[in-house]
Amino acid sequence: MIRIGRRQFAAGLGASLLASPLLRFLGGEARAAAPFARRLIVFFTPNGTVHQHWRPSGTETAFTFPAGSVLEPLTPHRANLLVCDGIDFLQVDNHDGGMANMLTGGGTAQSTTGGMSVDQFLARRIGQSSRFQSLEFGVQTSLWGATRSTRMSYSAPGVFTSPEDNPRNAFQRLFGALGGDTTAAQKQLTRRKSMLDLVRGELGELSQRVGAEEKQKLEQHLESLRQTERGLTEPVAQPGCSSPTAPLAMDPMANANFPAVGRAQTDLLVSALACGMTRVASLQWSHTVAPQVFTWAGVSEGHHELSHKGDSNTVGVANFIKCERWFAAQFAYLLDALKARPDLEGGGTLLDTSLVLWAKELGDSRLHTCRSVPFVLAGGSSSYFRFGRYLRHSGASHQKLLTSVCHALGVTLDTFGDASRSTGPLTGLV
């Protein structure tokens, strides 16, 4: 059942009614209703956390990130953050389960959200007019292929939306020929369109001969093809948006290139948003059970191995926190980049009009549980949520958080994912 939420109701009222007894009775605030975010960005890093080194100190509005803690690199952005503690994945545990449920809320084909992840669900609703309905950027997400462990985005149950791991390929898709070779680019465009026509015809014929579940998956593939074709044929960018410099050629799967690939993908993501190419984008750093060795941070063991060091192994835990602080610095870089780019459509900066979700698939990874999974939300002045706060939720379902994310983008629904686990939005965000 789709319904109109309090914020959506209030947003449609005139300024005089905002101060009326009726609105006060409905729980409205004495300030103008906050607008909806225009775009969603999902930022993923793997393997949970160590809560005592992650949690802020202080109260809801007067909190700090202790020296040496995971989130300390976010201190300059404190006013733009909602740090959410105590959120659980109900009836889910371990790496694979956490990864598959993190953005889907455990939804099935029969769910209101159709088994889609929150990014793909929202892309269908706010991204239809964009050149790309959504964009998925990856940093070494496919070292182990495409599995439940390595994928977080779903267009239907069991149907992955895979990220692009190579910044050069992403640049070419978004901004055209590398090195200015427009003739070769045009030939490649023609070949791609011919291949799309062929595949579309074959899938259309096949959909007439399969069962309902398989037909739904084929429809998702056809929709993906339609979006791919749109990305090939529509203008590269809106007026006033300049193309970024092409990323340097490098092996995107080499461990030592992990930071450089991530930085290039972040820059491309922000440029695509600034140029109005999409309203939904994601940046996935590796995957659950991530094997990368953070040599650039002075660490010699793999990230996953470090994530399971017990408290008695003080050196191992300290090295894991080094890695997590490095990820936090990458999140800070993303927020800096969004603050530095103007929103050419709505005014202000990209961060002012966006909602950024930093998601993880585990809580304390030493326990392999999805309890108290850390989430950080970020946004700016034109925000649906009230930022600059640290919220303790004491076991709230993460379906409630996903529901609230949809509300923040102007899509109001009762629950996201498996309604038998939880319904309604997460309290305290607005």
Side-chain angles (χ1 to χ4, degrees), residues 234-246:
E234 292 200 357
V236 170
Q238 65 185 35
C241 177
S242 59
S243 173
T245 303

Side-chain angles (χ1 to χ4, degrees), residues 85-147:
D85 198 353
I87 295 177
D88 294 349
F89 295 5
L90 302 184
Q91 303 172 25
V92 175
D93 276 317
N94 220 323
H95 289 284
D96 277 14
M99 197 72 179
N101 280 264
M102 178 179 67
L103 299 182
T104 66
T108 65
Q110 289 71 45
S111 303
T112 301
T113 51
M116 288 182 276
S117 52
V118 69
D119 58 320
Q120 296 306 300
F121 178 79
L122 286 169
R124 299 288 176 85
R125 284 148 182 84
I126 68 170
Q128 293 288 357
S129 62
S130 303
R131 181 184 172 207
F132 298 101
Q133 193 165 275
S134 67
L135 287 170
E136 293 73 37
F137 297 88
V139 189
Q140 298 183 8
T141 68
S142 298
L143 290 170
W144 299 351
T147 69

Side-chain angles (χ1 to χ4, degrees), residues 3-19:
R3 58 184 174 81
I4 299 176
R6 177 174 64 84
R7 285 274 186 177
Q8 192 170 357
F9 174 77
L13 298 178
S16 62
L17 186 55
L18 287 173

Side-chain angles (χ1 to χ4, degrees), residues 228-241:
T228 299
E229 183 176 44
R230 182 170 188 154
L232 291 174
T233 57
E234 292 200 357
V236 170
Q238 65 185 35
C241 177

